[in-house]
Amino acid sequence: NAGVTQTPKFRILKIGQSMTLQCTQDMNHNYMYWYRQDPGMGLKLIYYSVGAGITDKGEVPNGYNVSRSTTEDFPLRLELAAPSQTSVYFCASSSHISYTGELFFGEGSRLTVL
Amino acid sequence: QKEVEQNSGPLSVPEGAIASLNCTYSDRGSQSFFWYRQYSGKSPELIMFIYSNGDKEDGRFTAQLNKASQYVSLLIRDSQPSDSATYLCAVMDSSYKLIFGSGTRLLVRP
């Protein structure tokens, strides 16, 4: 039972490089989210999606892009990496967000930009 | 900007005591409130949700909501060392987005 799978788990980028964080869920959830968590801080919403083909900005979308071509996949793209994007990134999904608020999180992707 | 505020802690309590964690929110239209627990280096997990004013109990955990004061709290009775973690308060907005606070770190001393 995989749940939400994120890859890679760790990555070091140089300033200006680009990369994609992959997120896949096998629970047939409509809602998917990307959060970032800086050390000692809470989660900040980057982008979210309520279904395939639909995405919207969260609290901190600048420097990121997303797509949702299928129900299962929700990749996060960093175009020009900056040191301020050093963080732990969590992908999450939910089927009943409006009822229980329960998000199922991936294990996180730790990104360092040098 | 919708905000969720928590004291960062650490809150240190002895084993067996009651731990009280507090959270305030700015969006008066918020309807749903959640407590997530996050162990160090792990992803968050939902432990409680509450919609109505008053108390909601689940085992050793009690969530309390006061919408007039825009205040949510979590009580942990008979605290155990395994409860040592960061507790994140989250509030759902009208677009079904969860807005998280910065979390309170709880330390339960054996």
Side-chain angles (χ1 to χ4, degrees):
Chain A
N1 191 6
V4 178
T5 302
Q6 292 182 233
T7 57
K9 288 186 169 48
F10 302 93
R11 182 73 186 268
I12 298 175
L13 281 181
K14 294 182 179 179
I15 294 173
Q17 286 185 320
S18 300
M19 75 161 298
T20 299
L21 297 176
Q22 301 292 343
C23 177
T24 298
Q25 53 93 6
D26 63 359
M27 297 174 283
N28 201 33
H29 287 171
N30 286 328
Y31 298 89
M32 295 190 74
Y33 305 82
W34 274 106
Y35 286 90
R36 60 175 286 174
Q37 186 173 36
D38 298 334
M41 302 296 289
L43 301 167
K44 294 292 186 184
L45 182 63
I46 305 171
Y47 271 95
Y48 68 105
S49 169
V50 300
I54 305 170
T55 63
D56 208 345
K57 297 178 180 179
E59 303 167 90
V60 290
N62 291 344
Y64 306 94
N65 277 300
V66 293
S67 60
R68 184 93 183 273
S69 57
T70 66
T71 299
E72 294 79 18
D73 300 310
F74 191 41
L76 177 71
R77 178 84 176 161
L78 285 73
E79 289 295 348
L80 293 171
S84 61
Q85 293 178 305
T86 294
S87 192
V88 179
Y89 292 83
F90 288 101
C91 179
S93 72
S94 177
S95 65
H96 298 107
I97 189 72
S98 58
Y99 299 115
T100 68
E102 184 167 19
L103 297 179
F104 293 85
F105 285 88
E107 293 184 340
S109 298
R110 185 176 298 274
L111 175 66
T112 302
V113 182
L114 300 174
Chain B
Q1 181 82 2
K2 299 168 187 172
E3 294 183 344
V4 179
E5 301 286 344
Q6 295 181 256
N7 188 320
S8 61
L11 172 66
S12 181
V13 300
E15 184 174 355
I18 296 175
S20 178
L21 304 161
N22 304 314
C23 171
T24 60
Y25 59 94
S26 63
D27 184 4
R28 191 170 285 278
S30 300
Q31 297 294 320
S32 308
F33 308 88
F34 310 89
W35 285 98
Y36 278 76
R37 178 177 61 199
Q38 186 177 26
Y39 291 112
S40 181
K42 301 296 184 181
S43 53
E45 57 180 336
L46 179 69
I47 55 172
M48 290 284 290
F49 62 91
I50 186 167
Y51 303 142
S52 305
N53 275 330
D55 295 358
K56 178 182 179 182
E57 187 174 317
D58 183 1
R60 296 186 296 112
F61 298 97
T62 298
Q64 299 175 318
L65 174 61
N66 184 325
K67 289 186 178 180
S69 301
Q70 297 177 242
Y71 178 91
V72 191
S73 65
L74 178 70
L75 301 178
I76 306 175
R77 291 181 299 280
D78 188 23
S79 295
Q80 301 297 309
S82 58
D83 294 326
S84 297
T86 296
Y87 289 80
L88 300 167
C89 175
V91 177
M92 185 181 294
D93 72 8
S94 57
S95 302
Y96 301 120
K97 302 192 300 290
L98 281 187
I99 308 300
F100 284 84
S102 58
T104 298
R105 191 158 67 98
L106 173 66
L107 297 175
V108 181
R109 309 187 304 272

